Amino acid sequence: ALLGIQDALRACLTSCLQCMQLVSSGSDGGGGKEMGTRGGTLSPGAAPSSKSAIKAVVIDQGYYEWQAASPKQDGEGGVAECKTSYVHLLQVLPLSLAPRFLLFEWPLEGGSQWEKVSPGFFDAPGSSSLMFPVMREYMTPVEVAQSRPVVTIAFSSIEGYREICALNMSMAKDMLHLHNACVRETLSTIGGYECKEFDGSFMSAFPDGCAALEWALTLQLALLAVPWAQELLETHEHAREILDEDTGRIIFRGMRVRVGIYQGLVDRVAPHARTGRADYFGQPVNRAARLMTAAFGGQVVCSAGLAEGIMNE
């Protein structure tokens, strides 16, 4: 009986791994390890055959604060103090059943024991326009065009990051940790949505241009107050403190971040193949990235139309 249970459990786990095949065969390319069975045990590198593999879609649900109560151990009965932990939740469905995501209520209702503390996919701007390929087959080109949402995209990156990595990797890691924490804290405060991050370069989305610009300006001010390492301030040219000659106020201090912002109709919003977070495609994404690349460290660049619209508000 025990062997039968082990076989059933192994078959169940194998099916789950096949369902997660998208993690290693998604549209964004390879790079991840495929999981499968080898010699009757689960191991990386033994991918299920292409005939049995099931492509899946992953949707990020965000992080939840979980409060679990456990019975007291001293024999007095009652309930012990709640223990708090944080859980990152994902939804996973076969690609052919992906439209089911749109039928489930959001956010998840877990009662008083848990609370959502970070945004998931359906909190992202324009996520209500999510459409899967199987849905587009039943829509006319006009209907698809009308479903495109207006989203404000912002890209940011650290000036001189590669130079610091080449000189002192340990200092670069500490700097990156402080920078990323600052970006995420300001995004949470303003209500921005983090799409993805790589080596301190962030792609973020906002419901309107005013929020995006407010975040970019808040970030520039917040970076001046970050407790950067003294060695970084003294040795790296892009991190040195610079004061205004007339007022004595700090103009630059610590790492300098450039930001590019652009607002417009995105072609589509879809879950990232690996993370399940909202990813955007279309002209606003390309233009925001180019504006960021053109900017200097400490500079925020956006289109004139976006700036004029914000000032008119």
Side-chain angles (χ1 to χ4, degrees), residues 174-189 194 197 200 202 215 219 222-223 226 228:
D174 293 339
M175 178 274 294
L176 186 63
H177 175 76
L178 291 171
H179 165 268
N180 289 1
C182 184
V183 172
R184 290 182 172 123
E185 181 67 24
T186 51
L187 280 174
S188 176
T189 301
E194 177 187 339
E197 177 272 335
F202 280 78
W215 166 74
L219 176 63
L223 288 168
V226 170
W228 305 109

Side-chain angles (χ1 to χ4, degrees), residues 153-215:
I153 301 295
F155 278 86
S156 66
S157 68
I158 307 170
E159 185 178 55
Y161 173 70
R162 295 185 182 277
E163 288 84 344
I164 297 179
C165 290
L167 294 174
N168 190 325
M169 182 56 71
S170 177
M171 183 169 62
K173 289 181 178 180
D174 293 339
M175 178 274 294
L176 186 63
H177 175 76
L178 291 171
H179 165 268
N180 289 1
C182 184
V183 172
R184 290 182 172 123
E185 181 67 24
T186 51
L187 280 174
S188 176
T189 301
I190 302 301
Y193 180 86
E194 177 187 339
C195 303
K196 47 191 172 184
E197 177 272 335
F198 180 74
D199 283 350
S201 295
F202 280 78
M203 173 183 170
S204 307
F206 298 83
D208 55 68
C210 185
L213 190 56
E214 183 180 4
W215 166 74

Side-chain angles (χ1 to χ4, degrees), residues 40-302:
T41 60
L42 295 174
S43 61
S49 66
S50 58
K51 293 182 179 179
S52 61
I54 303 174
K55 287 197 172 183
V57 177
V58 179
I59 295 282
D60 180 72
Q61 295 284 88
Y63 281 84
Y64 286 74
E65 182 183 279
W66 181 276
Q67 295 185 351
S70 57
K72 289 184 177 180
Q73 302 297 324
D74 56 8
E76 297 180 358
V79 178
E81 294 184 358
C82 292
K83 295 182 178 180
T84 301
S85 60
Y86 294 90
V87 183
H88 186 197
L89 300 182
L90 300 174
Q91 287 191 69
V92 186
L93 278 177
L95 180 60
S96 60
L97 299 179
R100 280 188 186 177
F101 285 123
L102 305 178
L103 302 179
F104 300 136
E105 293 185 3
W106 174 257
L108 296 177
E109 295 294 338
S112 59
Q113 287 188 320
W114 63 353
E115 179 182 0
K116 186 163 66 69
V117 295
S118 73
F121 175 89
F122 289 108
D123 295 309
S127 60
S128 59
S129 300
L130 170 64
M131 286 190 298
F132 296 100
V134 67
M135 300 168 61
R136 290 174 178 263
E137 295 176 1
Y138 298 95
M139 301 177 65
T140 65
V142 174
E143 291 174 329
V144 172
Q146 292 176 343
S147 68
R148 296 167 60 196
V150 175
V151 178
T152 304
I153 301 295
F155 278 86
S156 66
S157 68
I158 307 170
E159 185 178 55
Y161 173 70
R162 295 185 182 277
E163 288 84 344
I164 297 179
C165 290
L167 294 174
N168 190 325
M169 182 56 71
S170 177
M171 183 169 62
K173 289 181 178 180
D174 293 339
M175 178 274 294
L176 186 63
H177 175 76
L178 291 171
H179 165 268
N180 289 1
C182 184
V183 172
R184 290 182 172 123
E185 181 67 24
T186 51
L187 280 174
S188 176
T189 301
I190 302 301
Y193 180 86
E194 177 187 339
C195 303
K196 47 191 172 184
E197 177 272 335
F198 180 74
D199 283 350
S201 295
F202 280 78
M203 173 183 170
S204 307
F206 298 83
D208 55 68
C210 185
L213 190 56
E214 183 180 4
W215 166 74
L217 300 181
T218 301
L219 176 63
Q220 297 297 337
L221 293 172
L223 288 168
L224 298 177
V226 170
W228 305 109
Q230 192 62 32
E231 180 184 1
L232 177 69
L233 298 175
E234 294 175 352
T235 60
H236 189 57
E237 62 176 340
H238 294 294
R240 291 175 182 170
E241 183 176 287
I242 298 178
L243 304 179
D244 184 276
E245 295 181 355
D246 297 326
T247 64
R249 291 182 178 180
I250 297 176
I251 299 177
F252 288 108
R253 182 184 179 278
M255 298 312 301
R256 304 175 188 178
V257 173
R258 50 188 170 225
V259 181
I261 304 173
Y262 197 88
Q263 183 184 65
L265 286 167
V266 295
D267 292 339
R268 63 188 178 95
V269 53
H272 189 275
R274 294 183 184 279
T275 66
R277 297 190 65 78
D279 202 1
Y280 299 85
F281 303 87
Q283 186 183 72
V285 178
N286 299 330
R287 292 194 174 181
R290 290 184 179 182
L291 290 176
M292 183 272 292
T293 302
F296 293 99
Q299 188 175 33
V300 178
V301 179
C302 65

Side-chain angles (χ1 to χ4, degrees), residues 8-20 35-37 42 48:
L9 179 59
R10 184 177 295 112
C12 180
L13 290 174
T14 301
S15 297
C16 290
L17 290 170
Q18 290 175 346
C19 188
M20 290 292 289
M35 301 293 292
T37 59
L42 295 174

